[in-house]
Amino acid sequence: MFVMIAIAVWACALVIWWICSNAFRHSDLDKLKSRLIGTSKTKTAKSASGGRGSLIHTEEKNVLLATKFLRRFQLQSKLQEMIEQAGMKWSTHRLVNTCLLAVVAAWAIAWVLLPDPVRRFSYLPALFAGVLPLLYVIRKRRARMRRFEELFPDSLEFVSRSMRAGHAFSVSLEMIHREFQEPLAGEFRRTFEEHNLGLPLDVALQKLAKRVPSLDVHFFVSAVLLQKRTGGNLAEILDKLAYVIRERFKLRGRIRAISAHGRMTGIALSSIPIGVAVLMFYTNPDYVRFFFLDDVGNIMLGGAVFLQITGYLIMKKITSIEV
């Protein structure tokens, strides 16, 4: 009983914190500093009498044990980069707290709803629910990057035409913000603002390539930097690069159409054991109870789940062809 009360209090505290974190927003100054330096750090200077400046995290006051764990294993920077690529305003500790809240809520619901024989396995749905916020961020990131790649060839041709019309390359980057949609418009606007506020063009483009981990963007940045050092017709280079990117999209679409049968087969084969297990649980629960109550059944169930996941990953690897 005490454990349930402690878990309920912890869950309520996490819910209140999550609501409060949504209610308060960063000031315009913090947003401007974050955009200039590319991180969530702000620099505070001491008085003129002495002392050295220090970089203080804006989230340092509310750092939890999980966030310290991420920093120790150098995972916080990767999570922050993934959140930024997904175009979300979340922070790393907010993502961690959301995962913890999902774990606690799913464990409590499973503990109440599941029957006594299988109640000790409530941690399985809790672990699955804890991964859901991370999967949501990954899905948002993937969709945003896919949308960026779809608009990228048109933006290259737009820059090429604007340069032929007499505009400078940096001005062409700024014009993309008014002519195209997100996320491409926001990324190029950020690149232009960084360059306009004093950052060298090559550094601003390299930061763009780091924010958008796409092979096409790396080609674009390499072509611009190479043309800047050696000279040449940049407009013609961008036109040819846009043509190559479109051809890669066509080839990728053909490969996905050819491998669609293999992907559907992998999903069907992976779903059949799960469906059979659910049906057996409702039609013959005494037969399924062996896998949860007996030690040998637990080993067999763990081995079956492990082999099923391994087989799905192998089939996914076979049907995934990078272009």
Side-chain angles (χ1 to χ4, degrees):
M1 186 67 182
F2 176 75
V3 176
M4 295 296 296
I5 295 175
I7 293 175
V9 172
W10 186 30
C12 293
L14 287 177
V15 171
I16 294 173
W17 176 90
W18 191 79
I19 295 174
C20 293
S21 64
N22 287 336
F24 296 100
R25 303 293 182 184
H26 295 291
S27 63
D28 295 336
L29 181 60
D30 291 338
K31 291 182 179 180
L32 179 58
K33 290 181 179 179
S34 176
R35 176 170 294 183
L36 288 176
I37 63 179
T39 60
S40 61
K41 298 178 179 180
T42 57
K43 188 175 183 180
T44 59
K46 294 184 178 181
S47 61
S49 59
R52 56 182 181 178
S54 61
L55 288 175
I56 302 176
H57 284 79
T58 56
E59 330 174 319
E60 191 68 30
K61 296 180 180 179
N62 298 320
V63 170
L64 298 177
L65 182 60
T67 309
K68 293 181 180 179
F69 174 80
L70 293 176
R71 290 181 180 177
R72 180 176 181 181
F73 291 93
Q74 299 179 353
L75 296 176
Q76 186 178 13
S77 59
K78 296 181 181 179
L79 284 179
Q80 187 64 41
E81 183 179 355
M82 183 176 62
I83 293 172
E84 184 178 1
Q85 291 171 357
M88 303 174 66
K89 303 298 183 181
W90 288 16
S91 59
T92 53
H93 68 271
R94 177 180 175 184
L95 177 61
V96 171
N97 287 336
T98 304
C99 294
L100 293 176
L101 178 61
V103 169
V104 174
W107 184 86
I109 294 174
W111 184 269
V112 173
L113 297 181
L114 291 178
D116 293 335
V118 296
R119 183 170 291 174
R120 59 176 179 171
F121 294 98
S122 300
Y123 65 90
L124 294 178
L127 293 177
F128 176 75
V131 181
L132 290 180
L134 186 61
L135 294 178
Y136 173 74
V137 175
I138 294 176
R139 183 177 180 182
K140 291 276 291 184
R141 172 184 177 272
R142 189 176 302 171
R144 188 171 182 268
M145 294 297 104
R146 187 183 299 113
R147 180 59 178 167
F148 185 95
E149 291 179 349
E150 291 176 357
L151 298 174
F152 191 58
D154 295 333
S155 67
L156 295 182
E157 292 184 346
F158 176 81
V159 173
S160 176
R161 291 193 299 269
S162 62
M163 292 181 65
R164 286 193 176 97
H167 296 287
F169 177 75
S170 59
V171 177
S172 302
L173 296 181
E174 195 272 337
M175 294 171 62
I176 291 178
H177 170 68
R178 299 194 299 266
E179 299 295 334
F180 289 87
Q181 301 176 356
E182 294 290 341
L184 187 137
E187 292 294 341
F188 275 98
R189 180 186 180 184
R190 180 172 177 177
T191 302
F192 170 76
E193 290 179 351
E194 290 174 345
H195 174 60
N196 194 36
L197 292 173
L199 198 66
L201 181 61
D202 54 348
V203 178
L205 291 176
Q206 289 173 0
K207 293 182 67 175
L208 171 65
K210 184 178 180 181
R211 292 195 306 269
V212 184
S214 174
L215 185 62
D216 301 330
V217 178
H218 285 278
F219 285 158
F220 165 71
V221 174
S222 300
V224 173
L225 297 181
L226 183 62
Q227 189 273 340
K228 183 180 178 182
R229 296 173 183 174
T230 61
N233 190 350
L234 182 59
E236 184 178 356
I237 294 175
L238 295 180
D239 285 335
K240 293 182 179 180
L241 182 59
Y243 173 77
V244 172
I245 293 174
R246 284 199 175 94
E247 291 299 319
R248 288 182 65 246
F249 267 110
K250 293 180 182 179
L251 181 60
R252 187 182 304 173
R254 294 174 184 173
I255 292 176
R256 286 185 60 85
I258 294 173
S259 61
H261 180 269
R263 287 185 281 111
M264 292 298 297
T265 303
I267 295 175
L269 292 177
S270 301
S271 302
I272 288 175
I274 300 176
V276 172
V278 173
L279 291 177
M280 290 297 297
F281 184 79
Y282 284 100
T283 57
N284 193 0
D286 295 333
Y287 180 80
V288 182
R289 193 176 290 115
F290 162 77
F291 294 98
F292 296 96
L293 300 181
D294 194 89
D295 294 336
V296 179
N298 293 340
I299 297 175
M300 294 176 62
L301 180 61
V305 172
F306 174 76
L307 293 177
Q308 187 69 24
I309 295 176
T310 304
Y312 173 75
L313 294 177
I314 292 175
M315 289 185 290
K316 184 178 181 181
K317 184 66 176 178
I318 293 174
T319 56
S320 298
I321 303 175
E322 296 293 335
V323 182

